[in-house]
Amino acid sequence: MAARARHCETVGYSGLWATSHFMGWVPEVLWARHLPAAAGGPHDMLEPVAHLAALAMATERVRLGTVVIDPLTRHPALLAQSFLALHHLSGGRAVLGLGAGEAANTVPYGIEATNMASRFEEAVEVIRLLWGGGEVSYEGRYFHLDRAVLGHIPGDGVLPPIWTGAHGPRLLRATGCLADGWIPSPMPVDDYRTRLGVVREAAVAAGRDPSAISPALFGYVAVAEEAAAASAVLRHPLVRSFALPLPAELFGRYGADHPLARSGMSDLIPNRFSAAALDDAIAAVPDGLLEEVVLHGTPDDVRKQMAEYHDAGCRDIVLVNLTPLASPASARASYRLLDELVADLTPTTGEVHP
């Protein structure tokens, strides 16, 4: 893991990101069928702050962020302390990527997950207050502080930026009012442009500079030397299962109902469905849906698609390589292609600006 992190920094990646999940996105019954010999499994998830702390010790320049952690599984005071520690250990490179929460991270574990948008807004306020230093008292609907203190505050006053994984109108507006960046899950480029507009309008209404909010994207990628091979990746059942957390609205654009009657990633619990139900759901994913939300094709194709998101306002894309799920033997080649793509994009500053 450390060697890979150092390699990414040398190639020119500007950040390394950890997901925050107890349970993975891929249903175990599908993993067992298609990747029986793979090490670990779909739920083999490292705790993200410990993961990023290890990467901090192995690197010098790259940003280190979560995409995204939530204030349901971790109290805002713990998030505030953890990311100050990570910021300190990494020399000021931590990014607190914060979301409202997901059913897969809460329901199976007995964690309350109601009124998530309101809890999210309060959590950001609590974190900011604790980062301000001194004794903090706060009486919210969900969180309560009584002369609370957080002693490890950077002497230079430089705090970790907070980026949100917002999608709905309320949290998009909260991003514009409260956050330093926006890093949503995969979505069509036109949707990205529209939602970024909501973030920026909210920033202006709050008296903030909208250009100070960093627009990013958690971007799935399927890459190969030949476009046909990348298209084959998108047809593989494991990769097609990544369409199931997408909102019903996207299915509706293709004249289809969501096969699991879900509103998206926030309420999908992947291990609650039988193999037969998942097979039927994957077969019902409309043709073209994944092509619209996954960067795919040759490196040149992927570069052109990244440019479309750039034109829509995006400035950072986290590249999540789905290719090995469809073809484990292609893992090394697909990561080499992404490395070459990033190296081509990297300016002399050493940061990636797709």
Side-chain angles (χ1 to χ4, degrees):
M1 192 171 65
R4 176 65 187 168
R6 286 190 290 269
H7 170 79
C8 287
E9 187 169 69
T10 300
V11 167
Y13 291 89
S14 62
L16 300 172
W17 297 79
T19 57
S20 179
H21 274 258
F22 300 131
M23 179 184 295
W25 291 286
V26 178
E28 195 162 1
V29 292
L30 295 182
W31 186 282
R33 182 190 302 168
H34 296 287
L35 289 175
H43 311 314
D44 187 6
M45 300 285 180
L46 290 176
E47 194 284 322
V49 180
H51 183 180
L52 293 171
L55 300 186
M57 299 297 97
T59 57
E60 297 178 353
R61 298 184 304 278
V62 288
R63 286 177 301 188
L64 302 160
T66 46
V67 61
V68 286
I69 205 165
D70 67 74
L72 304 176
T73 56
R74 295 162 179 83
H75 191 280
L78 178 59
L79 291 172
Q81 183 187 47
S82 296
F83 278 82
L84 284 183
L86 181 61
H87 211 48
H88 173 71
L89 293 171
S90 65
R93 295 184 281 138
V95 179
L96 171 50
L98 192 66
E102 301 172 22
N105 268 353
T106 54
V107 173
Y109 307 96
I111 298 170
E112 186 177 356
T114 58
N115 303 313
M116 293 189 291
S118 299
R119 290 175 186 270
F120 173 87
E121 292 167 345
E122 278 196 14
V124 175
E125 189 173 357
V126 168
I127 291 167
R128 299 281 196 202
L129 287 170
L130 288 170
W131 282 353
E135 291 185 348
V136 177
S137 294
Y138 177 86
E139 192 64 28
R141 183 178 176 186
Y142 307 102
F143 302 110
H144 313 279
L145 304 177
D146 182 8
R147 300 182 63 186
V149 296
L150 198 62
H152 182 70
I153 306 296
D156 59 7
V158 179
L159 298 164
I162 298 176
W163 292 17
T164 78
H167 289 82
R170 178 171 177 175
L171 291 187
L172 290 170
R173 291 192 295 270
T175 299
C177 294
L178 303 172
D180 306 298
W182 179 51
I183 187 163
S185 299
M187 66 179 68
V189 66
D190 288 341
D191 288 1
Y192 187 93
R193 181 181 291 105
T194 298
R195 288 174 173 164
L196 179 57
V198 174
V199 171
R200 289 174 168 168
E201 288 170 6
V204 171
R208 304 181 68 205
D209 178 2
S211 67
I213 300 172
S214 300
L217 176 70
F218 186 70
Y220 293 149
V221 185
V223 64
E225 293 276 9
E226 302 293 334
S231 294
V233 168
L234 298 185
R235 294 192 296 271
H236 190 276
L238 274 184
V239 175
R240 286 175 69 84
S241 74
F242 276 74
L244 300 180
L246 296 174
E249 172 196 352
L250 280 181
F251 285 79
R253 294 180 192 178
Y254 288 84
D257 293 329
H258 195 294
L260 299 179
R262 290 298 187 263
S263 62
M265 188 174 291
S266 64
D267 68 354
L268 177 67
I269 305 176
N271 70 349
R272 297 290 173 88
F273 301 94
S274 68
L278 289 167
D279 288 341
D280 290 344
I282 289 168
V285 173
D287 291 338
L289 177 57
L290 281 177
E291 284 83 350
E292 193 174 3
V293 299
V294 177
L295 302 164
H296 64 281
T298 67
D300 192 51
D301 293 331
V302 171
R303 182 183 295 107
K304 291 175 181 176
Q305 293 158 25
M306 291 170 74
E308 293 178 7
Y309 282 95
H310 180 275
D311 290 344
C314 183
R315 291 298 176 268
D316 288 277
I317 298 181
V318 179
L319 299 174
V320 184
N321 188 6
L322 301 184
T323 316
L325 290 175
S327 175
S330 70
R332 186 180 299 273
S334 64
Y335 279 109
R336 175 182 54 80
L337 292 174
L338 290 181
D339 288 350
E340 293 173 358
L341 170 64
V342 168
D344 287 343
L345 292 171
T346 304
T348 55
T349 60
E351 291 196 350
V352 177
H353 296 280

